[in-house]
Amino acid sequence: MDTTPPVTQQIGRNPHENRCKSVDIDVSDVQDCNVFDRQGNRLSFRSLYQEKKAIIVLVRHFLCYTCKEYVEDLAKIPKSFLSHADARLIVIGQSSHHHIDAFCQLTGYPHEMYVDPEKEVYRKLGMNRGDTFIKAAGHSLHVKSNMFTGSVKSIWRAMTSTAFDFQGDPSQQGGALIIGPGAEVHFAHFDMNRLDHMPINWLLEQAGVQTVDFTDQPIIHV
């Protein structure tokens, strides 16, 4: 559900400038942080990328309509594409683990999902808070709803949820990482606002995974 976090406007910047430049991070800062699976089992963040290269997408919160629509497109990536590249695809939210099953069912997402309810990974990586919008920035390929209809849908999902909560911190931004195997960081991006997701096919290319046609098509997992 989208409240109104602090908003910063940046004027006169090329909207694509530095978009594909990697943020400099030290993964040792977060390797011992805990994340939780849908049963509430604790795992170290390091375990997600220790054995295989992992595309790790950290989302804002599970009621965020832009995150929902982005994850719906992540759901279109066939498992066979990942297995052929010996890679993992992981989404991390910041809600209680009790919300994972419902969010996976809502988005059709069949891959790995964990939560960081204390936002330990977000905080130690220094991920952004609040919305910083770039003037004349293009609309995200993966977001189909406008702000009004998307927000209305988020509010309705919150009202009809078994637990009326934000399912995460609305002011916390997410990002995308490609790490592993081991502690090698191939790429890191911190979202500046709710629409600043990295294009999925760009992430797939960087991880050596076959790209996907995101035009309207049924989700088929091979």
Side-chain angles (χ1 to χ4, degrees), residues 65-81:
Y65 73 92
T66 66
C67 297
K68 169 186 172 289
E69 295 180 8
Y70 189 77
V71 173
E72 285 174 337
D73 273 2
L74 289 174
K76 296 174 183 176
I77 301 170
K79 291 182 178 180
S80 60
F81 286 16

Side-chain angles (χ1 to χ4, degrees), residues 5-39:
V7 174
T8 302
Q9 292 281 353
Q10 292 191 355
I11 299 175
R13 175 179 166 184
N14 182 331
H16 302 292
E17 181 184 358
N18 297 325
R19 179 168 180 79
C20 295
K21 290 184 179 179
S22 183
V23 177
D24 186 18
I25 67 169
D26 185 350
V27 75
S28 66
D29 293 338
V30 292
Q31 63 183 9
D32 295 322
C33 292
N34 294 315
V35 294
F36 298 85
D37 66 14
R38 65 188 65 206
Q39 284 82 37

Side-chain angles (χ1 to χ4, degrees), residues 82-103:
L82 297 167
S83 62
H84 289 162
D86 198 27
R88 301 171 73 175
L89 174 60
I90 298 164
V91 168
I92 296 178
Q94 17 150 353
S95 75
S96 160
H97 70 274
H98 299 292
H99 292 295
I100 293 177
D101 277 338
F103 191 65

Side-chain angles (χ1 to χ4, degrees), residues 113-143:
M113 186 174 293
Y114 304 95
V115 291
D116 174 20
E118 301 300 322
K119 296 182 294 183
E120 194 177 12
V121 175
Y122 294 77
R123 186 176 63 254
K124 289 188 175 181
L125 285 176
M127 293 185 135
N128 298 315
R129 293 182 60 80
D131 277 326
T132 300
F133 285 98
I134 301 169
K135 191 174 180 66
H139 188 78
S140 170
L141 167 69
H142 304 288
V143 177

